[in-house]
Amino acid sequence: MNLSEDWIRASIPTKAVNGKLELSKCRRYKLDIIRNLSSLGYNPEDVNLTDIEQEKCVDGWTYSKDIYQSTIVTEFDLVCDDEWKQPFTSSIYFIGVLCGSFFSGQISDRFGRKPVLFVTMMVQTFFTFIQVFAPSWEVFSVLFFIVGLGQISNYVAAFVLGTEILSEGVRVLYSSLGVCFFFAIGYMMLPLMAFLIRSWRMLLVALSVPGLIYIPLWWFIPESPRWLISQGKVEEAEAIVKNAAKKNKVTPPDIIFSEIGEEERNTKPKESNNVLDLMRTSNIRRTTLILFLVWLTLSMGYFGLSLNTSRLHGDPFVNCFISAAIEVPAYITSWLSLRYLPRRLSCSASMLLGGGVLYFIQLVPPSLPSLSVALEMVGKFGIAIGTALMFTYTGELYPTVLRNTAVGSCAMVSRVGSAIAPYFIHLNVIHQHLPYILLGTLCLLSSTTTLFLPESFNRPLPETIEQMQKRDRINCSCFSRKHEGKDLFQDTTSTITTSVKILQEERF
């Protein structure tokens, strides 16, 4: 604009950020006034700049490419007046996850685990690829919502399917190391891929292509025999179990589900269960509400700390990798806990560790930023353990007819926490350590309430709502009734449990 170097440097106002003066990234002194003052021979030091009218960056912005070549922020200009769209974009994804958590559980309980698993994997893969061609932030956000819808749906369906078709020892291995460990491996690969592919569009292509690998698995993964029996499809369930016995080189009985009458074998169940059954009785309602609180806290903590890695001291790619790598020992710890320790103790201790450590971050002096990062990673270590444990624990507490609905509903509630997590970390503008204090408090509260859940360690999975209500728990006089929760889980003579025993004895 034919301005001197002095006027160019003076044309951008300064503002205080965290006690330091920085050049404004969103406003400048009105250019016409600056040009007139320069043409009249004035120098910046001759003028009181604070009296000059300011204007927005009407000519656009330039972005640093030192770290990223292209992002949705730089391409769609999600800065200044549109900066609110940055965290809201993540929230839109998690809102999609929330809706998927709610609907996928009921759809899976109605139409089966396997169809929902593969259909939602297709949805996630297809719409992730379509995002590459998004011409605007609005279109990108709508597609991102659908991606979240598919992602959690196949995650929950796969988890429940594995829980129901595997025997006890393998089930624990699958639900801890099988699901969570490989989730961590994928998480660790993400910063590596982002480091090598600095354009967001090409990164989405790389993230969507692996979804095609899962298509052949349709012919290898069976439907859940437990779900089939709950729907009255006994012959299909027997065929799957006999096929598994054949592959395991054992001889099953001719009629596996012998206690089911001939008339009952080909009839569908008369009663249909839905999400309202999670609140049917005081016993089930108490369990559900406690789990809702715990899942909400763990999700808020997990995603809040994960999204905060780019704000930490050091390289964002390295911080993201460390945040992912810390989950590997966390999931190994959760696996060992599931094998050898009671569920209540393990879950409560993990949240106590995660919440307690976060309290100490406010005591770290500013001169030791690495110590703050280390404490935050230890906090995430504890929260990751709790997250892995709660998937298994929740699946073990509910009967077959409600299991997928329960896990899906808990995941839905947890996504409320993940949806507000992007904004939760912004509370540091009020007080630097406020997010850690609030999150630590929620973790300690959840750690305490977990002790009032029923114990499921070394207990058979309940098949009916009545069996679930007979499980023992620690009673609290403030909300327990007389005689509730005092009986141990004794009813193990149901048809499904009998068949599971047969399969376990033959090492299915």
Side-chain angles (χ1 to χ4, degrees):
M1 301 301 295
N2 197 26
L3 293 173
S4 65
E5 288 295 326
D6 290 340
W7 272 114
I8 291 177
R9 284 194 297 269
S11 64
I12 302 177
T14 59
K15 64 177 183 178
V17 179
N18 294 326
K20 298 180 180 179
L21 288 179
E22 294 183 359
L23 293 174
S24 174
K25 297 180 180 181
C26 297
R27 301 191 67 81
R28 68 186 184 191
Y29 294 118
K30 200 163 186 178
L31 197 57
D32 291 338
I33 298 177
I34 294 292
R35 187 188 300 111
N36 290 336
L37 291 173
S38 177
S39 62
L40 292 174
Y42 288 101
N43 293 319
E45 54 270 17
D46 301 329
V47 179
N48 186 0
L49 296 175
T50 57
D51 293 335
I52 299 178
E53 184 180 354
Q54 297 183 12
E55 63 182 355
K56 298 179 181 179
C57 299
V58 294
D59 297 315
W61 299 265
T62 57
Y63 299 95
S64 169
K65 295 187 178 182
D66 293 340
I67 299 178
Y68 311 109
Q69 290 297 315
S70 173
T71 70
I72 64 168
V73 174
T74 62
E75 184 155 339
F76 301 137
D77 290 328
L78 307 184
V79 294
C80 297
D81 289 346
D82 288 333
E83 187 174 3
W84 63 271
K85 294 180 179 179
Q86 293 185 29
F88 188 61
T89 305
S90 299
S91 294
I92 288 174
Y93 169 81
F94 287 122
I95 292 172
V97 172
L98 186 153
C99 296
S101 301
F102 179 74
F103 292 110
S104 66
Q106 298 186 72
I107 293 174
S108 182
D109 282 341
R110 184 176 181 86
F111 297 104
R113 301 358 181 177
K114 182 179 176 179
V116 172
L117 169 63
F118 282 90
V119 169
T120 53
M121 280 199 299
M122 180 187 69
V123 169
Q124 179 185 353
T125 300
F126 178 75
F127 283 95
T128 299
F129 181 74
I130 293 298
Q131 279 185 292
V132 175
F133 307 101
S136 64
W137 174 79
E138 289 77 12
V139 174
F140 177 89
S141 298
V142 171
L143 296 174
F144 211 19
F145 172 86
I146 301 175
V147 171
L149 200 72
Q151 186 275 329
I152 192 61
S153 298
N154 66 62
Y155 189 89
V156 172
F159 175 83
V160 174
L161 179 60
T163 299
E164 293 183 344
I165 66 176
L166 299 174
S167 59
E168 183 176 358
V170 182
R171 182 173 68 241
V172 171
L173 180 66
Y174 168 81
S175 60
S176 54
L177 292 186
V179 174
C180 300
F181 183 77
F182 284 94
F183 179 90
I185 292 177
Y187 190 179
M188 287 189 289
M189 293 176 61
L190 177 61
L192 175 62
M193 296 175 66
F195 178 80
L196 298 174
I197 306 174
R198 302 297 181 95
S199 171
W200 71 273
R201 294 184 186 271
M202 293 309 299
L203 180 59
L204 284 179
V205 172
L207 293 177
S208 61
V209 169
L212 302 176
I213 299 174
Y214 300 105
I215 295 177
L217 296 181
W218 173 268
W219 290 274
F220 295 93
I221 298 177
E223 181 56 274
S224 165
R226 289 177 179 270
W227 178 83
L228 289 171
I229 292 175
S230 72
Q231 301 299 302
K233 301 178 180 180
V234 181
E235 292 183 358
E236 295 181 38
E238 284 186 346
I240 292 174
V241 173
K242 288 180 179 179
N243 184 51
K246 180 180 178 181
K247 291 181 179 180
N248 290 334
K249 298 180 180 180
V250 297
T251 304
D254 293 334
I255 300 179
I256 297 177
F257 308 108
S258 56
E259 296 183 15
I260 300 180
E262 186 65 32
E263 185 176 313
E264 195 177 344
R265 291 166 64 87
N266 297 314
T267 59
K268 295 184 178 180
K270 298 179 181 179
E271 184 178 0
S272 177
N273 300 102
N274 54 53
V275 69
L276 296 179
D277 290 309
L278 299 178
M279 300 289 177
R280 175 185 290 185
T281 66
S282 61
N283 225 0
I284 298 177
R285 182 165 57 249
R286 188 185 316 161
T287 297
T288 300
L289 292 178
I290 292 175
L291 288 174
F292 281 177
L293 171 64
V294 173
W295 280 69
L296 178 75
T297 300
L298 289 173
S299 181
M300 186 183 300
Y302 178 86
F303 287 103
L305 296 179
S306 297
L307 294 173
N308 196 45
T309 53
S310 62
R311 298 168 175 262
L312 299 178
H313 175 75
D315 184 270
F317 297 105
V318 174
N319 288 338
C320 184
F321 180 82
I322 294 175
S323 179
I326 199 68
E327 296 187 18
V328 174
Y331 296 143
I332 294 176
T333 302
S334 69
W335 172 62
L336 294 174
S337 299
L338 289 171
R339 285 183 62 87
Y340 302 111
L341 296 176
R343 305 292 190 251
R344 279 189 300 226
L345 175 64
S346 302
C347 294
S348 180
S350 65
M351 288 182 282
L352 182 63
L353 170 65
V357 169
L358 295 179
Y359 273 122
F360 290 102
I361 293 180
Q362 59 186 313
L363 303 179
V364 178
S367 59
L368 296 175
S370 298
L371 180 57
S372 295
V373 174
L375 289 175
E376 183 165 330
M377 293 304 161
V378 173
K380 187 181 179 183
F381 172 79
I383 291 175
I385 293 175
T387 302
L389 292 175
M390 288 310 299
F391 264 101
T392 302
Y393 194 12
T394 302
E396 292 177 345
L397 289 177
Y398 288 91
T400 302
V401 293
L402 281 178
R403 188 169 296 119
N404 211 74
T405 297
V407 174
S409 297
C410 287
M412 178 197 70
V413 171
S414 76
R415 299 316 167 192
V416 175
S418 60
I420 65 176
Y423 294 97
F424 188 80
I425 60 179
H426 283 281
L427 291 176
N428 58 6
V429 299
I430 301 175
H431 187 279
Q432 183 178 359
H433 301 295
L434 182 58
Y436 300 118
I437 295 173
L438 293 178
L439 184 56
T441 302
L442 284 173
C443 285
L444 296 180
L445 176 62
S446 298
S447 174
T448 303
T449 58
T450 302
L451 297 175
F452 297 100
L453 290 172
E455 183 55 71
S456 63
F457 183 54
N458 285 337
R459 311 286 177 86
L461 294 177
E463 300 297 340
T464 65
I465 294 177
E466 289 72 22
Q467 290 176 355
M468 176 186 176
Q469 294 187 82
K470 293 180 181 180
R471 289 193 155 182
D472 63 311
R473 66 169 76 234
I474 298 175
N475 285 298
C476 178
S477 58
C478 61
F479 55 73
S480 63
R481 294 180 180 179
K482 186 177 180 180
H483 303 307
E484 272 192 350
K486 292 185 178 179
D487 296 329
L488 293 175
F489 179 72
Q490 299 291 339
D491 190 5
T492 58
T493 59
S494 67
T495 302
I496 316 299
T497 305
T498 302
S499 66
V500 171
K501 285 187 175 182
I502 292 174
L503 295 178
Q504 288 179 343
E505 288 171 1
E506 296 180 349
R507 293 171 295 179
F508 170 56

